[in-house]
Amino acid sequence: IRVAGTNVNHSIVQTNNNDYYLKRDFEKNYSSHGCIYACEVANVFSPSDNITIYGHNMNDGSMFAALTKYSDKKFWETHRYITFDTLMEHHTYEVIAVFTTTASKGQGFNYHPFIDADSPEEFDEYIADCKIRALYDTGVTATYGDKLITLSTCEYSQKNGRFAVVAKRIS
C-alpha cells in the first residue's frame, strides 16, 4: 500500500486472526508497531467489495500515522490516489471519503463488517454512511460494482477513536 509523498509505503499481511499482526512485524517477531494488515475475511485477490486495511497511528509518524493528514482537504487535493498492489496485480484507488468515528461498542459507525454487499442497496447505504460522516466533500463517489479499500487507524480526539480513508479502484 502506498500514498505518494508520505511514508505510507508498506507490505500488507493477512491471516485468519486480525489480532495476530497487531503487535508483530513482517517476520512475526514482537513489535509495538505491528504490521499493516488486511481484514481476515476479505479476499484481496477476487477482490471483495471492500477490503479494510488496518495500521497503527504511531507517535513517531510511522505506519498509518500519515493518514490523519487527510483531515485537511488541501492534503487530499494533492494526495487523492492510493496504490494497492497484490502479488499479481497493480491498482490505483481514488479517495472518496475521509471520516472519524469511535470503535466503542454500540457507538459510532461500524464500518469494519462491510466486506461484500448483498445488493446494490446495501452497497449504496455503505457509501452514503461514509459520505454523511465525511470531513469534507470530495465530489467523488462509488457505485455498486466498484471495488473499495478502507484504510483504518487510531484517532485520538475521542475515546477509542478511528480515522478512516475510503477509496475506490479506478485502474
Side-chain angles (χ1 to χ4, degrees):
I1 190 94
R2 283 186 304 282
V3 178
T6 74
N7 64 352
V8 175
N9 185 3
H10 302 284
S11 296
I12 297 173
V13 294
Q14 187 178 36
T15 184
N16 62 357
N17 175 357
N18 267 356
D19 291 336
Y20 185 81
Y21 282 105
L22 197 59
K23 296 287 183 185
R24 287 188 177 89
D25 65 16
F26 194 77
E27 284 80 29
K28 302 179 183 175
N29 299 309
Y30 175 82
S31 169
S32 61
H33 287 67
C35 266
I36 305 298
Y37 60 93
C39 174
E40 60 194 9
V41 294
N43 186 331
V44 298
F45 298 108
S46 284
S48 295
D49 290 337
N50 181 55
I51 301 166
T52 301
I53 301 170
Y54 302 95
H56 287 301
N57 178 355
M58 301 302 291
N59 287 332
D60 66 5
S62 65
M63 305 312 283
F64 266 5
L67 292 182
T68 61
K69 293 179 180 180
Y70 277 106
S71 62
D72 181 356
K73 188 173 183 180
K74 290 183 188 284
F75 181 84
W76 166 78
E77 289 170 351
T78 58
H79 298 85
R80 295 172 65 137
Y81 303 102
I82 298 169
T83 303
F84 176 45
D85 299 334
T86 68
L87 294 173
M88 299 173 206
E89 297 180 322
H90 169 83
H91 293 290
T92 301
Y93 289 74
E94 185 175 14
V95 175
I96 65 171
V98 175
F99 61 87
T100 62
T101 190
T102 179
S104 295
K105 191 171 185 166
Q107 300 175 18
F109 174 36
N110 191 13
Y111 59 94
H112 305 278
F114 180 74
I115 297 163
D116 284 308
D118 291 330
S119 67
E121 294 79 19
E122 183 180 352
F123 187 92
D124 292 346
E125 182 179 332
Y126 177 75
I127 296 300
D129 285 342
C130 292
K131 297 298 260 178
I132 201 163
R133 289 167 175 79
L135 300 176
Y136 47 84
D137 183 10
T138 64
V140 183
T141 193
T143 57
Y144 184 67
D146 285 335
K147 300 301 178 186
L148 308 172
I149 54 174
T150 300
L151 309 184
S152 178
T153 195
C154 293
E155 188 274 328
Y156 302 110
S157 72
Q158 58 189 316
K159 184 178 180 183
N160 210 11
R162 295 295 181 268
F163 190 92
V165 177
V166 182
K168 74 172 179 177
R169 188 165 72 186
I170 58 172
S171 72

